[in-house]
């Protein structure tokens, strides 16, 4: 009779909870306000913004591509939202207009990468630069804050739904929808098939170019929806709205993938929570942004290294040098 083994997912969950506890304990020792109710609410509201971006980015990572256009597209979406609010267009129209900008920019990037076969790094940097330039057309780069109080945009940050802060509730709904699509439908599984082996996916009847384009389009739309939450939180729309979303989003996706073995929506949410816990602690300790950015970059590099199968393959010969004893129990 073989010994009962703990499922790997249990160890991964234990590692995640352990990291979260360590982060909480370290920052609590330096900043007593870290675990207070007010700060935890602020932490989760910040996580909501980064989490929505990271959930969209998960689709792009699943198809084995990169999207570096996020800051520029986010700024264009935020300025579009501010412009529409200033014109009193109605909040639903403003949100749809903002999301439409992201969807359009993402679709252009996706077609450039998936159909024209342009390098994803080059194509998305170009798209981000174009989008950032277009964000100046509305008000020559000046911020928008007109009609913000009367439009209802601020309620998306201040309200609570079912006793849950509105940004966290919105993140939960978006993550739930993304998880259902990506993990419980044939449409979602085709993204994974496309990322694993495009040739095999193509012979299986999957339109891989269309799925690559769809991944970028979803990423762009969710990036701009995250900017709706950002504008609701800050009370202003400006061209710098997207400056601080790229590294935390990538770190969340890759850290979650490293912890749970593959990129997925739940793994991304776990990574986003860890990154937000770190960034919130740095904010409480008034750590300069360039130090916190350095830590985020270091976490991203380590997560990518762990997630890279080539590194794991190179370590297997070293692991085989150590003797392993199988523990068995006879009946």
């Amino acid at each position: 009779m073989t010994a009962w083994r703990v499922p790997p997912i249990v160890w991964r969950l234990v590692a995640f909870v352990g990291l979260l506890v360590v982060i909480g304990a370290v920052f609590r020792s330096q900043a007593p306000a870290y675990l207070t109710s007010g700060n935890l609410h602020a932490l989760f509201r910040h996580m909501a913004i980064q989490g929505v971006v990271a959930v969209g980015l998960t689709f792009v990572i699943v198809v084995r591509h990169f999207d570096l256009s996020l800051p520029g597209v986010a700024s264009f979406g935020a300025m579009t939202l501010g412009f529409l609010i200033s014109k009193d267009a109605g909040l639903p129209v403003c949100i749809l207009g903002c999301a439409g900008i992201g969807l359009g920019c993402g679709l252009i990037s996706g077609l450039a990468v998936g159909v024209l076969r342009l390098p994803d790094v080059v194509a998305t940097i170009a798209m981000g630069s174009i989008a950032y330039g277009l964000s100046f057309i509305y008000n020559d780069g000046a911020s928008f804050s007109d009609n913000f109080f009367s439009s209802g945009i601020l309620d998306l940050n201040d309200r609570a739904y079912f006793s849950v802060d509105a940004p966290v509730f919105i993140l939960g709904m978006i993550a739930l929808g993304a998880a259902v699509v990506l993990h419980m439908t044939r449409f979602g599984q085709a993204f994974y098939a496309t990322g694993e082996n495009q040739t095999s996916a193509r012979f299986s009847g999957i339109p891989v170019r269309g799925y690559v384009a769809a991944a970028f389009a979803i990423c762009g739309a969710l990036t701009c929806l995250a900017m709706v939450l950002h504008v609701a939180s800050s009370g202003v729309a400006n061209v710098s709205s997207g400056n601080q979303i790229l590294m935390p989003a990538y770190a969340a996706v890759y850290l979650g993938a490293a912890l749970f073995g593959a990129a997925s929506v739940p793994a991304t949410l776990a990574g986003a929570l860890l990154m937000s816990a770190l960034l919130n602690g740095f904010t409480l300790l008034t750590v300069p942004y360039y130090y916190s950015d350095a830590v985020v970059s270091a976490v991203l590099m380590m997560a990518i290294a762990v997630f890279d199968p080539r590194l794991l393959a190179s370590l297997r010969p070293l692991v085989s040098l150590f003797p392993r004893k199988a523990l068995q129990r006879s009946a």
Side-chain angles (χ1 to χ4, degrees), residues 9-35:
I9 186 61
V10 175
W11 293 117
R12 295 181 184 278
L13 286 171
V14 169
F16 165 68
V17 173
L19 282 173
L20 201 58
V21 169
V22 169
I23 291 172
V26 170
F27 283 119
R28 173 67 176 78
S29 66
Q30 301 299 315
Y34 184 74
L35 294 180

Side-chain angles (χ1 to χ4, degrees), residues 102-149:
L103 182 68
C105 291
L107 185 59
I108 293 172
S109 294
L111 292 174
V113 174
V115 177
L116 300 181
R117 302 296 182 89
L118 298 180
D120 51 7
V121 173
V122 175
T124 56
I125 287 177
M127 184 69 255
S129 298
I130 293 170
Y132 184 70
L134 290 174
S135 66
F136 284 81
I137 65 174
Y138 294 112
N139 205 23
D140 292 329
S143 301
F144 284 107
S145 58
D146 296 340
N147 297 332
F148 273 44
F149 286 100

Side-chain angles (χ1 to χ4, degrees), residues 170-182:
I170 293 170
L171 169 62
M173 293 297 99
I174 290 175
L176 178 61
V180 169
V181 169
L182 194 57

Side-chain angles (χ1 to χ4, degrees), residues 73-268:
V73 172
S75 295
F76 189 21
M79 290 298 285
T80 301
L81 176 68
F83 172 77
L84 292 174
I85 291 175
S86 70
K87 297 301 181 182
D88 202 17
L91 188 58
V93 174
C94 298
I95 294 175
L96 288 175
C98 178
I101 289 294
L103 182 68
C105 291
L107 185 59
I108 293 172
S109 294
L111 292 174
V113 174
V115 177
L116 300 181
R117 302 296 182 89
L118 298 180
D120 51 7
V121 173
V122 175
T124 56
I125 287 177
M127 184 69 255
S129 298
I130 293 170
Y132 184 70
L134 290 174
S135 66
F136 284 81
I137 65 174
Y138 294 112
N139 205 23
D140 292 329
S143 301
F144 284 107
S145 58
D146 296 340
N147 297 332
F148 273 44
F149 286 100
S150 60
S151 67
I153 184 69
L154 301 182
D155 291 338
L156 295 179
N157 182 71
D158 299 335
R159 281 188 177 179
Y161 301 111
F162 306 103
S163 302
V164 178
D165 289 338
V168 181
F169 181 83
I170 293 170
L171 169 62
M173 293 297 99
I174 290 175
L176 178 61
V180 169
V181 169
L182 194 57
H183 306 306
M184 301 180 184
T185 66
R186 293 181 63 184
F187 176 71
Q189 291 304 303
F191 284 102
Y192 281 99
T194 298
E196 288 297 326
N197 191 316
Q198 287 199 8
T199 302
S200 298
R202 188 177 298 109
F203 279 109
S204 299
I206 297 174
V208 295
R209 296 182 181 182
Y211 274 91
V212 170
F216 279 93
I218 292 170
C219 181
L222 290 184
T223 296
C224 283
L225 284 178
M227 287 303 98
V228 175
L229 298 180
H230 174 76
V231 170
S233 173
S234 62
V236 64
N238 52 51
V239 294
S240 64
S241 296
N243 286 358
Q244 301 298 320
I245 67 170
L246 185 65
M247 294 300 288
Y250 270 94
V253 175
Y254 276 102
L255 181 57
L259 283 170
F260 291 95
S264 67
V265 173
T268 293

